Amino acid sequence: MTEGSPPNPQQDIDDNAEYQRLAAIHNAARPRWLTPTIQLSPWLPSDQDALVLYLNMPEIYSYISGPPFPYLPSDADAWIRGRPYDMTRNGTPLSLCIRDMTKGGKPIGSVYVSAGSDDDLEGDDTGYWLAPEYHGQGIMAKALKLLLQEVAIKEVGKRKFNSRAYVGNWASRRTMEKAGFVNYPELETITIKDGKEIPAWTLRLILTEEDLAKREVVEEATPLPSLVQ
């Protein structure tokens, strides 16, 4: 720390016994398989380089809101270190890394669901991105449906979800629609990105108990035996 610089709150987090306890729970969360070779599992400190690589790609950055640009190693480090504070009461991560296990567990995407109250339908209850080379394989749609089913609906108990996609980002909109979201044209809004106004669709998923009874169950895949340690 140089003279005159503010204290490093991240160092306080790292030295905190409670944080270390939460990190141990987070990092040990059970992986979930989307396909025989693609896995959902917690974000880890070793994933920093991949996060920096992908979030600086125009094909990804241009369609997501929130992360700064350029996305620096310090941004990735701070975000990953904050994940243990973003879990359900049962210790299940709300943000999961999508990994290609044929490439040593290489991160290829991210998916997030909210544990927020059903009374608040203003923010984004979902968030996701996927490496361009993996588009068109149904990976993200299944990741979102599985995380909604197993975490947000079963574990958290949420029944109402709000999400947004930039107008024209049909791939993202279709991903949400496959998960049951419906576009509300009257709720189209304006978001600010890089100082510019960008129109955004608002999609919502509202589930009754009857809807849940009829909702398609998403099954986890069986991994290739060679990928199970």
Side-chain angles (χ1 to χ4, degrees), residues 8-19:
N8 183 354
Q10 197 62 59
Q11 186 63 47
D12 294 339
I13 290 177
D14 293 343
D15 292 341
N16 186 285
E18 175 62 8
Y19 173 81

Side-chain angles (χ1 to χ4, degrees), residues 125 153 189:
D125 286 319
I153 295 173
T189 187

Side-chain angles (χ1 to χ4, degrees), residues 172-227:
S172 183
R173 175 169 164 172
R174 291 189 184 106
T175 292
M176 286 189 279
E177 289 174 338
K178 289 177 182 177
F181 282 77
V182 176
N183 183 45
Y184 284 70
E186 69 276 16
L187 297 179
E188 186 172 310
T189 187
I190 297 294
T191 61
I192 305 298
K193 184 178 179 68
D194 299 334
K196 299 179 181 178
E197 294 186 346
I198 302 177
W201 290 310
T202 295
L203 294 93
R204 288 181 172 176
L205 173 62
I206 311 295
L207 296 169
T208 65
E209 293 307 311
E210 183 179 356
D211 294 330
L212 287 174
K214 296 186 295 185
R215 191 171 172 84
E216 178 188 4
V217 175
V218 182
E219 302 287 350
E220 292 187 44
T222 300
L224 292 179
S226 61
L227 298 178

Side-chain angles (χ1 to χ4, degrees), residues 33-39 99-102 221-224 227:
W33 291 85
L34 299 176
T35 76
T37 62
I38 303 294
Q39 182 192 90
R99 303 181 186 278
D100 185 340
M101 301 308 292
T102 67
T222 300
L224 292 179
L227 298 178

Side-chain angles (χ1 to χ4, degrees), residues 12-85:
D12 294 339
I13 290 177
D14 293 343
D15 292 341
N16 186 285
E18 175 62 8
Y19 173 81
Q20 298 297 338
R21 184 186 72 82
L22 291 173
I25 295 171
H26 174 272
N27 296 350
R30 178 180 73 82
R32 304 171 190 269
W33 291 85
L34 299 176
T35 76
T37 62
I38 303 294
Q39 182 192 90
L40 281 178
S41 59
W43 282 97
L44 302 173
S46 56
D47 298 325
Q48 177 180 306
D49 289 347
L51 198 55
V52 172
L53 171 67
Y54 284 121
L55 292 191
N56 281 306
M57 284 186 176
E59 303 97 315
I60 293 176
Y61 167 75
S62 299
Y63 295 103
I64 58 177
S65 60
F69 183 82
Y71 197 78
L72 305 176
S74 57
D75 297 317
D77 179 68
W79 186 82
I80 290 173
R81 289 182 186 276
R83 292 315 88 207
Y85 285 122

